[in-house]
């Protein structure tokens, strides 16, 4: 199993938790990942805009990365950080990702520092405008806006250093600017907008564009991204069902093919009642895909092989 997105490190830091990445009461820990035979877990460095504001923005980001480093060091060899597939050996690997380059505030020097962290995937923004881009939005004007000058500049640096651009939180205009740039592109934790009309999900054209460029779209477990009323609007009830996950997987498969399928749970970054509340229950989804008639080769691609290819 390779999961392309979780917010566990941020949550441990934000709560100043005495729990560890090795064992905790959250949705993801190394012990449970080992028990289900996981290959790799992507751990996001997400920096909040509106909390812990007594700490400067960039310092917040460095502190959260510091928590990641500490947790890996203290895991007693249960996990190792990996930059690409060839770094992954036996056991679980941790792939560092950056959710929102906003704290860099356009600084090339700060970008150089996150390169030294061996972050492999980065998104230009989260749900707020920053120096690089505009976010997904229910406002059509904002949704249509493309990248800023600094956004195009950082894409060139990402290409130079083999960093992958995550488009999950971008505006539609920004998405197409990224696709046209030639940078490696993924959507680590987004679903299908045709199934659930949510601005964080991707249109069919976007799904095909990611697939055409060899990327993946990681299935997000957030209830409002998965469930919708008959008119397509997201449901108010916050319950995430495996049956809804299967509808999104089937749609992405039908529209963009088997090579784009992947997992991006968003564990520890989402709320609601989840039928799969933690990594220990993930085999339920694999079994459900088999029961739904997906070929074992397709399930293997969703579960691991597409992720290994992207991280080469």
């Amino acid at each position: 199993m390779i999961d392309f997105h979780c917010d566990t490190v941020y949550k441990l830091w934000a709560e100043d938790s005495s729990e560890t990445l090795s064992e905790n009461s959250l949705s993801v820990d190394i012990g449970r990942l080992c028990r289900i035979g996981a290959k790799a877990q992507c751990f996001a460095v997400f920096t909040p805009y509106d909390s812990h504001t007594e700490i400067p923005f960039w310092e917040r980001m460095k502190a959260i990365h510091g928590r990641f480093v500490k947790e890996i060091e203290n895991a007693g060899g249960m996990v190792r950080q990996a930059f690409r597939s060839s770094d992954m050996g036996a056991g679980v690997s941790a792939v560092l990702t950056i959710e929102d380059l906003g704290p860099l505030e356009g600084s090339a020097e700060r970008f150089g520092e996150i390169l030294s962290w061996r972050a492999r995937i980065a998104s230009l923004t989260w749900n707020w405008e920053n120096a690089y881009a505009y976010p997904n939005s229910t406002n059509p004007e904002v949704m249509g806006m493309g990248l800023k000058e600094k956004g195009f500049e950082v894409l060139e640096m990402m290409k130079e250093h083999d960093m992958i651009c995550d488009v999950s939180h971008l505006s539609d205009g920004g998405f197409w600017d990224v696709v046209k740039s030639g940078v490696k592109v993924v959507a680590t934790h987004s679903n299908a907008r045709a199934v659930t009309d949510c601005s964080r999900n991707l249109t069919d054209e976007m799904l095909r564009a990611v697939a055409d460029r060899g990327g993946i779209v990681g299935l997000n477990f957030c209830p409002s991204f998965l469930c919708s009323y008959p008119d397509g609007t997201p449901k108010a009830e916050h319950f995430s069902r495996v049956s809804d996950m299967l509808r999104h997987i089937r749609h992405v498969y039908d529209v963009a093919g088997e090579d784009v399928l992947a997992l991006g749970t968003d564990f520890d970054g989402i709320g609601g009642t989840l039928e799969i509340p933690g990594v220990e229950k993930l085999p339920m989804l694999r079994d459900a895909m088999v029961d739904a008639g997906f070929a074992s080769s397709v399930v293997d691609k969703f579960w691991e092989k597409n992720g290994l290819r992207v991280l080469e």
Side-chain angles (χ1 to χ4, degrees), residues 1 3 6 8 24-29 32-33 35-36 41 221 240 242 245 263 265-268 270 272-285 303:
M1 187 279 290
D3 176 18
C6 78
T8 312
N24 59 57
S25 58
L26 302 175
S27 292
V28 179
D29 65 34
R32 283 175 285 165
L33 287 168
R35 288 194 287 277
I36 67 165
Q41 175 69 57
F221 287 9
S240 170
V242 171
M245 297 175 191
L263 186 65
T265 62
D266 210 355
F267 276 149
D268 296 319
I270 53 177
T273 302
L274 311 181
E275 189 172 358
I276 298 178
V279 293
E280 72 281 2
K281 298 284 190 179
L282 280 173
M284 285 177 57
L285 179 57
W303 210 243

Side-chain angles (χ1 to χ4, degrees), residues 146-180:
L147 301 186
K148 299 181 180 182
E149 182 178 351
K150 288 288 185 181
F152 288 107
E153 290 176 5
V154 81
L155 286 184
E156 291 304 310
M157 291 188 282
M158 292 176 79
K159 284 192 284 186
E160 180 181 352
H161 295 283
D162 197 29
M163 186 179 283
I164 301 168
C165 186
D166 178 11
V167 295
S168 277
H169 278 276
L170 268 178
S171 64
D172 288 359
F175 172 96
W176 291 112
D177 282 342
V178 168
V179 165
K180 293 171 187 174

Side-chain angles (χ1 to χ4, degrees), residues 196-266:
T196 305
D197 188 11
C198 169
S199 64
R200 276 280 283 100
N201 290 340
L202 304 185
T203 67
D204 289 356
E205 188 179 7
M206 291 172 170
L207 293 171
R208 285 189 286 266
V210 174
D212 289 346
R213 286 151 184 81
I216 56 87
V217 176
L219 178 75
N220 192 318
F221 287 9
C222 180
S224 61
F225 300 177
L226 284 171
C227 315
S228 63
Y229 289 114
D231 65 359
T233 57
K235 281 187 177 180
E237 298 90 349
H238 298 296
F239 191 79
S240 170
R241 300 172 177 85
V242 171
S243 58
D244 293 310
M245 297 175 191
L246 290 173
R247 289 195 301 120
H248 282 268
I249 293 170
R250 175 64 67 184
H251 184 85
V252 174
Y253 172 82
D254 289 343
V255 166
E258 62 191 53
D259 292 334
V260 77
L261 297 173
L263 186 65
T265 62
D266 210 355

